[in-house]
Amino acid sequence: MSAPRPRRPPARLLVLAAAAAVAVGAGLWLILWRGPEPARHAVVVVFDTLRADRMSVYGYGRETTPFFADAAPDFLRFAAAKAPAPWTVPTHASLFTGLWPAEHRARWGHMVLDARFETVAERLGAHGFRTVGFTANPLVVRSTGLDQGFESFKLVRGPWPERTETILSLAPEEIDAALAEGRRLFLFLNLMDAHIPYNTRRYGEREGVEGPGPIHNATVKWEVSAGARPFTEEMRRLHGAAYDAAVRYLDDVGRDLLALLAEKGILEETVVVFTSDHGDGLGTHAEIDHTISVWEEQLAVPLLVRLPGRRRGGEVVVEKTTLTAVAPTLFDWLGLERPPALAAAPDLDGATGWPVLADYRSYFAETNRKTNRNVAERYPELAARIQDAHVLYCGRMKLIVRGSGETELYDLEADPDELTDLAPEAPRELRSCAGSYRAVLEAGLLTPFGVDAGSPEEEPRVDLETLRALGYVQ
């Protein structure tokens, strides 16, 4: 299961290129060898908590993303992109470093990306890029180490529904500054509209929802997830409608961002990545929000890439891929050498033979945080059900190994909602996935169960009201 070495052009192509160079000069040789001109700038947008399966560009039955659907011929779309963890900090750490959660170890119990790990922003900054980040998420901040390498990094505060508009109003000035200095730009945005409390904006009324919907705070979230509050069909419908309204608003945001880049004259020399750090539980498994499970609701995320000149536009990659591959591929697309640690890392350009996995440390493993303990004490049955977990995708199958040693196996093509555990009745498939799982575990790509949760000194200073607003604590 080891990752492949960076691919080299086939020998036949080298011979043909060399012959052409001899015939017409070294200039054509350089063109053939270098391939397409690399992007000059990069923009990475994380639509926090956005599920791929609630976007009409990914086949959802409701028209939630008409812009992305119309613009599909301009995008390289990854149909089966997976987050390496079901919540913000570990996934952003993987997105920024190209490392698995087992390697960077930013997780519950140690909610910090250590400074010894190099981020995309750090490396691009060393190459002269102006590196700029705007975040509406108070977990993507300096205290969690996710600001590393950014020349300018701002947490936008204020009312939740206004944060994205504030970011959109600030971004043009940063683009202008980079262009005025003649520098390349790396712009990162984290937008929280699809995170509880949902930002339904102007689309809530159309969906029949008032405000952010029926589940808009931590109390309701935990009570429903624990079975302490009824989750009626009407409540489920309104909760899903509120989420869809937020997704519809984000579609407008994507349109406006691309229009801004076009207005500044840099769209056709910029690689633009739209993705998410995780999804959200909308009740299929009676679990609301995220952070507490590894169902596809939380792990299946969108990944849409617009390359300069619309290269590979309209292409759909059906093979499963991981957000961990974004960082090394960005270096490739920008024409920069990868750091040594990512020389043989997975990429988004078609490399195969590497695993796609998720690594989850239980929310209740963060024993240093009093608020987590309080939720566990209030809902002991829920706490007992939420365990550390490993996920490995093997073909159409998804293997889940719980911290207790229990295993589950789901056929994602036949059973996309993961309602039927095939482990008891599919021994051959289970043995095959288990063999791959052991290889990945031995390679150190998954966090061993039972590792120490960390010490209180390692905890970031994220205030209680912030976590309550995000729905993580009561």
Side-chain angles (χ1 to χ4, degrees):
M1 300 297 294
S2 60
R5 295 289 180 185
R7 290 159 294 142
R8 299 181 182 276
R12 182 172 57 86
L13 178 59
L14 292 177
V15 171
L16 290 174
V22 171
V24 299
L28 180 57
W29 159 251
L30 290 175
I31 293 173
L32 290 169
W33 176 254
R34 289 174 58 190
E37 189 70 20
R40 178 165 175 77
H41 311 290
V43 176
V44 175
V45 182
V46 171
F47 289 139
D48 205 294
T49 321
L50 180 58
R51 290 171 52 154
D53 67 350
R54 302 296 281 210
M55 301 173 69
S56 48
V57 69
Y58 275 86
Y60 185 44
R62 306 181 76 178
E63 193 180 62
T64 53
T65 54
F67 167 73
F68 281 116
D70 289 344
D74 297 342
F75 284 92
L76 170 61
R77 176 165 65 89
F78 293 85
K82 309 296 180 183
W87 68 289
T88 296
V89 172
T91 295
H92 275 83
S94 290
L95 188 69
F96 287 170
T97 65
L99 302 176
W100 300 105
E103 296 171 311
H104 61 64
R105 293 183 290 179
R107 56 182 182 251
W108 290 119
H110 182 71
M111 274 173 35
V112 182
L113 176 64
D114 293 335
R116 60 193 173 90
F117 297 111
E118 184 182 43
T119 65
V120 169
E122 286 177 301
R123 192 161 186 85
L124 294 185
H127 281 277
F129 280 67
R130 182 175 177 85
T131 55
V132 179
F134 290 103
T135 174
N137 189 332
L139 289 181
V140 184
V141 287
R142 176 172 298 177
S143 63
T144 54
L146 295 174
D147 70 331
Q148 293 176 40
F150 285 98
E151 184 175 329
S152 174
F153 194 85
K154 182 177 179 61
L155 169 63
V156 174
R157 301 182 184 274
W160 289 102
E162 299 174 10
R163 294 190 180 193
T164 291
E165 291 186 357
T166 299
I167 289 172
L168 294 180
S169 71
L170 295 173
E173 182 179 347
E174 293 290 351
I175 296 173
D176 289 342
L179 298 180
E181 296 167 0
R183 297 169 65 188
R184 303 174 75 177
L185 173 70
F186 173 56
L187 176 64
F188 164 76
L189 308 178
N190 176 289
L191 309 176
M192 291 283 283
D193 304 275
H195 192 294
I196 288 177
Y198 301 141
N199 180 10
T200 57
R201 301 296 286 180
R202 53 188 170 273
Y203 295 106
E205 184 177 349
R206 189 188 74 172
E207 298 290 347
V209 182
E210 293 185 8
I215 302 177
H216 57 275
N217 59 39
T219 298
V220 180
K221 163 197 165 177
W222 287 113
E223 287 180 352
V224 170
S225 296
R229 177 189 290 251
F231 191 49
T232 65
E233 282 304 313
E234 177 65 4
M235 195 175 181
R236 182 194 299 268
R237 183 187 71 79
L238 289 173
H239 183 52
Y243 185 83
D244 288 346
V247 175
R248 179 64 185 84
Y249 172 65
L250 286 175
D251 186 66
D252 288 350
V253 172
R255 176 200 64 202
D256 294 346
L257 281 169
L258 291 183
L260 172 62
L261 296 176
E263 177 189 331
K264 298 299 181 182
I266 62 171
L267 179 59
E268 295 307 328
E269 54 184 7
T270 302
V271 54
V272 185
V273 178
F274 290 104
T275 189
S276 178
D277 53 345
H278 52 76
D280 215 29
L282 301 178
T284 300
H285 293 274
E287 293 174 357
I288 303 301
D289 202 30
H290 47 278
T291 75
I292 57 175
S293 74
V294 290
W295 302 116
E296 289 298 279
E297 302 168 350
Q298 283 80 29
L299 297 179
V301 295
L303 181 57
L304 297 161
V305 178
R306 193 185 192 282
L307 291 165
R310 300 180 176 89
R311 294 201 306 270
R312 302 184 68 182
E315 184 178 337
V316 179
V317 178
V318 298
E319 292 81 11
K320 293 179 180 64
T321 190
T322 171
L323 295 189
T324 307
V326 171
T329 315
L330 273 180
F331 297 126
D332 298 343
W333 284 335
L334 291 167
L336 302 175
E337 185 178 359
R338 296 184 184 188
L342 301 182
D347 61 51
L348 301 176
D349 272 332
T352 57
W354 40 270
V356 176
L357 56 86
D359 190 349
Y360 172 61
R361 184 175 178 80
S362 169
Y363 172 90
F364 298 115
E366 195 178 14
T367 55
N368 298 319
R369 190 178 290 282
K370 181 180 178 182
T371 50
N372 295 56
R373 290 200 304 272
N374 288 346
V375 175
E377 291 168 1
R378 184 171 296 187
Y379 308 116
E381 291 184 4
L382 177 66
R385 189 170 80 237
I386 298 170
Q387 305 175 33
D388 293 356
H390 295 157
V391 170
L392 182 67
Y393 296 93
C394 39
R396 59 191 287 169
M397 297 292 178
K398 174 182 177 180
L399 177 70
I400 302 177
V401 180
R402 308 282 180 184
S404 62
E406 297 176 358
T407 59
E408 300 167 40
L409 188 68
Y410 298 93
D411 183 336
L412 294 181
E413 291 187 17
D415 179 26
D417 290 329
E418 300 166 282
L419 300 177
T420 304
D421 177 13
L422 298 177
E425 58 188 66
R428 185 176 64 179
E429 290 85 352
L430 182 61
R431 283 195 301 270
S432 175
C433 287
S436 299
Y437 170 72
R438 284 192 296 271
V440 168
L441 194 63
E442 291 170 2
L445 301 183
L446 288 164
T447 306
F449 295 132
V451 298
D452 181 64
S455 64
E457 291 76 19
E458 295 174 326
E459 283 303 294
R461 294 187 177 125
V462 181
D463 65 272
L464 182 61
E465 287 308 311
T466 291
L467 293 175
R468 185 175 287 119
L470 292 172
Y472 293 155
V473 304
Q474 288 186 259

